[in-house]
Structure formats: C-alpha cells, structure tokens
Amino acid sequence: MIDRHWLLIEGGGSRTWVALATGGSVLTEREGPSSSPRSVGHDQAHDTLAGLVRALPHGKPLRGVVAAHGAASTRACADEFAALTRRALASAGHPRVPVLVTNDIVPLLLDCDGPMCVVICGTGTGFAARNGDRWARASGLEWLLSDEGGGHDLAARALRAVVRALDGRGPATALVGAARRWCPPDPCADSFLGETLFHAVHGDPARKPYVASFAPFVLDAARSGDPVAAGLLDDAARELAEGAEAVCRAVEIAGAVPPVLVLAGSLLHSDVLRERFLDRARAQFGDGVVPRVAAGPGPGLLHLLDLWRDPAAIAALGRAMPVHADPIPGSRS
C-alpha cells in the first residue's frame, strides 16, 4: 500500500517551516516568515502559510496536518490556528483534512524517555518538562504576559537602554551605535535617533518580529564587552533558568536525577547567552545535566503524528498542553 502523505507545520514568532512527509520521513520542505497571527496579523499569517503550502509539490493527496506552532499559546489559540490552517489549505487547493495543532514545544518533549526539560528562546520563550507521565509548561503566553528572556523582550529592553542613554537617564552604551546600524535609513538625515527608533518600532503587527531582530545586535555588543548589553544577557539567562526550574519542580525532577536539557530557539544558538544559561542550569541541577541542541522539526513532528494515532495519549497530552485534535481514520481506539 502506498503511504499517505502528511503536511507538517512548525513555527513561531519569526519563522515558519512546512514539509510534505510520509508516516516515516520528510520528503520536501519549505521555510518562510512568521505565520503567527499575534506576530503578523491574521491575514499575513494566512497568506504566508498558504504560500508555503502552495510551494510544496502539488497533486499528492493529504491524509492530514500535524502542526506544532508557537501561535498555539492556549487551547482557544490552538483551535484558532487549526481554522487558519484549514483556510490556508483551501487557498492552496487542498481539500479539508483532519488537523492536529499543539504548541511548538511539544515535539521536543518526545525526544527521549527519561526526565527532560525543554527551553526555547527565540522571539519569545517557552519552558516544558516531562517526567514519566507528568508534563508541565510555562511561559509562551506572548509578550504582554510572558516571554521574559526571549528575543523580543531582550531587544525591547536594549532599545529602552538606548533611549535612556540618549536622554542622559542611563549609562553610555555601545547599543546606541548598534541601534543606528539596525534602524532603516531615515529620509530625514538630521533626525534624532530617538525619533527614528520611534517610527521603526511602532507600526503594524509585524513590528514584533522586527523589534526582535535587534536581539542579535545585543548579543554582539555583549560579546564585545559592553557592560549594559552584558547585564541584559545576565538578566535573560536568569529568566531562562527560572523557567526551567519551575517546570522541573512541577514534574518533580530533582537534582539527584538531572534532566536532559533540550535547547531550542535562535538565541540559544549563540554561545554568549547559552553559556550564561548553562552555568545557572548546572548550579540548579548539578554538573550531570546533559545539554542537547534540538534537532530539526521533522523527527519530532513525526513522533507527534504517531502519538495522534492513539486517542488516549492525545487526551493525556491535552490535559497539560494546548491541543486541537480532529479524529483521524485508523486511530487506535
């Protein structure tokens, strides 16, 4: 029998990854900007997702969609993203199929069988832990309620430090020069930097990922020895360590059995933040903690697909995580 094809979707506040897969392997993939409604608005999220799906090889009938997305911050948001996915599929010429949506942190928790903790630090933050059949999650409720230590939070705090330096309310910092390089060219050559920053960061919903794009400038400034940037990274590392500790405490992961610590998100690719965080994590969990850089999204989404076939397992997951799960033919009763 020819294996049916599945659409896989993974994404967050800055990027979207889609792929066509069989039940066991990824066949082809595409990547584009954010498809999170709270980052770019519903219309742009739909257009991005539909465009990426349209770019995949057409003509192969889909069995269903497995999506792990940062937009699924709550159960209602998971339902909302499922509806957005169906609309994007229709726009791309696909018929209605079953859809599974959960938060982007979930596939990372399926990476091994022992105690584990996942820390995501990209545009926002997410923390989750699993210890046997116990699951816990923290943060991931968008920038007005959580996401401390993530890219948007780090960038916004750094830009405030720039304004304070310009005003004379805060110390001088290399972040001022970084902000001049980061801002788009201003048609008024004599504009005050504060005004240029104002117009750069206040605008349509897509400003959220744009603001977060200043975070790499903060990492570079800290690496070059700027004390203001270094202090901001110390604060971010503390936030990440507190998030990891909270979810591990919730599932009773103790220092005697340190967890596998899975690191994901663009900011943790940088040693200047990663090492600060790991120093704190080792102080919390002991030197036996095992850090692991998260693999690409494909394997975790395929594990999630296998979990979807078991209604009892999906129901258990839904008690701890935001989940929208349509019934799929052939699932185990």
Side-chain angles (χ1 to χ4, degrees):
M1 178 182 295
I2 298 175
D3 200 354
R4 302 289 185 90
H5 291 87
W6 300 83
L7 177 66
L8 308 181
I9 302 172
E10 192 265 352
S14 297
R15 55 171 285 281
T16 305
W17 179 90
V18 302
L20 192 65
T22 63
S25 62
V26 172
L27 303 177
T28 184
E29 60 191 89
R30 298 289 186 272
E31 189 166 334
S34 176
S35 54
S36 172
R38 270 154 294 283
S39 287
V40 298
H42 283 80
D43 290 344
Q44 183 59 52
H46 164 269
D47 292 347
T48 293
L49 192 54
L52 288 171
V53 172
R54 200 177 289 117
L56 292 170
H58 211 297
K60 296 182 182 297
L62 293 177
R63 175 81 182 276
V65 179
V66 180
H69 204 290
S73 301
T74 67
R75 289 167 176 82
C77 287
D79 294 340
E80 174 190 72
F81 194 79
L84 177 72
T85 299
R86 291 192 190 95
R87 190 159 64 94
L89 282 176
S91 297
H94 289 280
R96 186 183 179 94
V97 293
V99 175
L100 169 68
V101 174
T102 189
N103 190 260
D104 57 342
I105 207 164
V106 170
L108 302 175
L109 288 165
L110 304 175
D111 192 48
C112 70
D113 294 327
M116 65 183 305
C117 175
V118 176
V119 176
I120 295 178
C121 184
T123 302
T125 57
F127 310 95
R130 181 170 64 86
N131 189 13
D133 60 357
R134 287 169 291 182
W135 304 65
R137 172 176 170 253
S139 193
L141 295 180
E142 290 292 340
W143 60 281
L144 285 174
L145 293 175
S146 64
D147 282 347
E148 298 92 340
H152 183 275
D153 177 59
L154 177 63
R157 295 185 66 203
L159 291 169
R160 293 187 191 110
V162 169
V163 174
R164 291 179 65 83
L166 293 172
D167 289 348
R169 294 181 293 127
T173 170
L175 292 170
V176 172
R180 292 188 192 278
R181 296 190 299 274
W182 171 73
C183 278
D186 195 307
C188 300
D190 59 349
S191 287
F192 174 58
L193 177 58
E195 293 186 5
T196 305
L197 286 173
F198 178 89
H199 292 292
V201 304
H202 293 292
D204 59 47
R207 294 297 89 184
K208 178 187 171 186
Y210 177 72
V211 168
S213 73
F214 187 60
F217 289 80
V218 186
L219 300 177
D220 289 343
R223 189 178 289 108
S224 298
D226 181 71
V228 174
L232 291 172
L233 288 197
D234 288 338
D235 291 344
R238 185 185 68 251
E239 293 285 359
L240 299 181
E242 289 177 355
E245 194 277 333
V247 291
C248 286
R249 182 175 64 247
V251 299
E252 299 182 354
I253 293 176
V257 185
V260 172
L261 189 61
V262 179
L263 309 180
S266 57
L267 266 65
L268 286 175
H269 292 162
S270 168
D271 59 341
V272 71
L273 178 58
R274 185 177 63 250
E275 292 308 316
R276 280 173 162 84
F277 165 59
L278 288 177
D279 284 346
R280 291 177 178 272
R282 292 184 181 106
Q284 287 176 343
F285 302 115
D287 291 337
V289 67
V290 180
R292 179 187 300 175
V293 176
L301 287 168
L302 292 173
H303 287 154
L304 185 58
L305 169 59
D306 191 55
L307 196 71
W308 189 13
R309 295 185 173 110
D310 185 345
I314 285 295
L317 175 64
R319 288 191 285 272
M321 303 287 177
V323 174
H324 172 103
D326 297 330
I328 58 171
S331 59
R332 297 190 290 271
S333 60

